Amino acid sequence: MHLYKTSQGNIIRVNETFYLVDENWDKLINREGLLAHLQSYIKEATRISHHTGNQWLTDNLLPPIGSQEVWAAGVTYLRSRDARMEESEDSGAADCYQRVYEAERPELFFKSLPHRVAGHREVVQIRKDSTWDVPEPELTLFINSSGHIQGYTIGNDMSSRSIEGENPLYLPQAKMYERSAALGPCLWVIDQPISPETKIQIDIHRGGLKLFDDSTLLNRMKRSLTELVEWLFKEMDFSSGAFLMTGTCVVPPNDFTLMEGDIVNITIEGIGSLTNTVGIKSSKK
């Protein structure tokens, strides 16, 4: 089932039937056995008409995050390793990405606080001081405070390849800035781990023209999802759970960079689609 957060209330969608969930978002998603709770809840929940449900998802949708931090894993796919080695070649740091790809310990980094996260049909941003910017489509996990995966969503890990390529120590500036992360449109809550055959697809449009279109399968990832979760929770506690972007294998060619007004669509089978328009942060007065 699909769980949505809206400004009108939380919604469960089962096929084309909508139910209102009158619970605090953090408390709702952070419980153990989220699917069983939702299945029990809808037996007596208030139904919302098909028209109202779709209207709320069109006009009132929020990113599916409450007070949680967003973290990310890097170099989990071979193509991502290659891309980051290419961008760092001039700085002499390319070898570090090869080493982390082969290492037991994964690359994990803080990505965003919730107030900087964009939702479906909202604006993501590129930095004014960057010359090479790309979206990164990523399966994103919601992990409860006990360290158990409870649901899946779509993530867009916006990145400045020019800044990171200049020096790996600039990773925080390349990855962590206003509206550099997007999540949505929902949490997909299922009764078994997501299939490794799941397809992740991205297309980018500019001025009505499709500039880039590519896809991959989740089974191209070197590391398992549970492995990444175990490392994230090894020495940290998350009282309301956490979101973890799991890396990308779909990388636009090196001669491509995002521009203001571009539209990025990311689709993951079972979850849906996350669409964002690219913007640039306005200068402070």
Side-chain angles (χ1 to χ4, degrees):
M1 57 181 62
H2 297 81
L3 180 61
Y4 298 87
K5 184 180 183 184
T6 84
S7 59
Q8 300 298 310
N10 306 321
I11 299 175
I12 302 170
R13 179 170 64 85
V14 182
N15 298 321
E16 291 304 315
T17 303
F18 295 90
Y19 302 89
L20 181 63
V21 186
D22 186 21
E23 290 188 26
N24 172 270
W25 182 262
D26 282 355
K27 181 179 178 181
L28 172 64
I29 65 173
N30 189 43
R31 67 182 63 249
E32 201 68 45
L34 177 58
L35 178 62
H37 174 74
L38 297 179
Q39 290 172 330
S40 176
Y41 192 95
I42 63 176
K43 294 177 182 178
E44 298 182 0
T46 301
R47 286 196 182 192
I48 303 172
S49 71
H50 185 268
H51 172 76
T52 299
N54 281 315
Q55 185 176 32
W56 287 10
L57 297 187
T58 299
D59 299 334
N60 306 104
L61 189 62
L62 299 172
I65 187 171
S67 63
Q68 295 80 20
E69 298 173 0
V70 181
W71 285 71
V75 200
T76 55
Y77 293 85
L78 181 62
R79 181 65 190 97
S80 175
R81 182 209 67 175
D82 292 346
R84 292 172 73 179
M85 289 178 69
E86 291 165 4
E87 73 190 20
S88 301
E89 186 173 0
D90 291 342
S91 71
D95 185 53
C96 73
Y97 296 110
Q98 174 65 31
R99 293 201 303 270
V100 77
Y101 182 76
E102 296 174 348
E104 177 186 3
R105 182 186 299 272
E107 178 193 15
L108 295 173
F109 58 89
F110 177 77
K111 177 64 182 178
S112 184
L113 292 170
H115 71 274
R116 293 196 173 97
V117 175
H120 178 51
R121 293 192 295 268
E122 293 186 339
V123 173
V124 292
Q125 294 180 174
I126 52 178
R127 295 182 60 116
K128 293 188 290 292
D129 57 353
S130 174
T131 59
W132 185 11
D133 302 278
V134 295
E136 297 186 8
E138 306 192 17
L139 174 70
T140 301
L141 314 176
F142 172 70
I143 311 146
N144 69 8
S145 56
S146 299
H148 300 140
I149 299 170
Q150 296 294 304
Y152 306 91
T153 191
I154 302 171
N156 182 353
D157 174 17
M158 295 286 289
S159 300
S160 166
R161 295 186 67 183
S162 59
I163 292 176
E164 184 180 2
E166 185 177 346
N167 191 315
L169 295 180
Y170 294 160
L171 177 71
Q173 296 173 77
K175 292 280 193 177
M176 306 163 213
Y177 56 89
E178 202 70 34
R179 295 279 168 154
S180 67
L183 295 175
C186 63
L187 279 186
W188 188 38
V189 186
I190 52 178
D191 61 358
Q192 56 189 345
I194 191 168
S195 170
E197 301 300 317
T198 297
K199 183 168 76 171
I200 304 172
Q201 190 269 337
I202 182 173
D203 58 76
I204 304 171
H205 297 256
R206 179 179 300 160
L209 299 176
K210 184 185 292 185
L211 299 182
F212 179 72
D213 185 355
D214 200 1
S215 64
T216 191
L217 297 179
L218 189 59
N219 62 17
R220 300 292 299 277
M221 185 187 295
K222 178 189 178 185
R223 301 180 186 269
S224 72
L225 301 179
T226 53
E227 175 188 0
L228 295 175
V229 171
E230 288 170 1
W231 279 100
L232 179 62
F233 277 69
K234 188 176 288 291
E235 292 291 344
M236 285 194 294
D237 297 322
F238 300 94
S239 61
S240 297
F243 286 86
L244 177 61
M245 296 181 173
T246 59
T248 188
C249 186
V250 184
V251 182
N254 291 353
D255 60 356
F256 175 85
T257 187
L258 288 169
M259 296 180 63
E260 186 175 14
D262 287 354
I263 297 174
V264 179
N265 300 305
I266 302 172
T267 300
I268 299 182
E269 291 178 331
I271 303 174
S273 295
L274 172 65
T275 298
N276 298 106
T277 301
V278 176
I280 301 176
K281 191 175 187 295
S282 60
S283 300
K284 293 182 179 179
K285 294 183 180 180

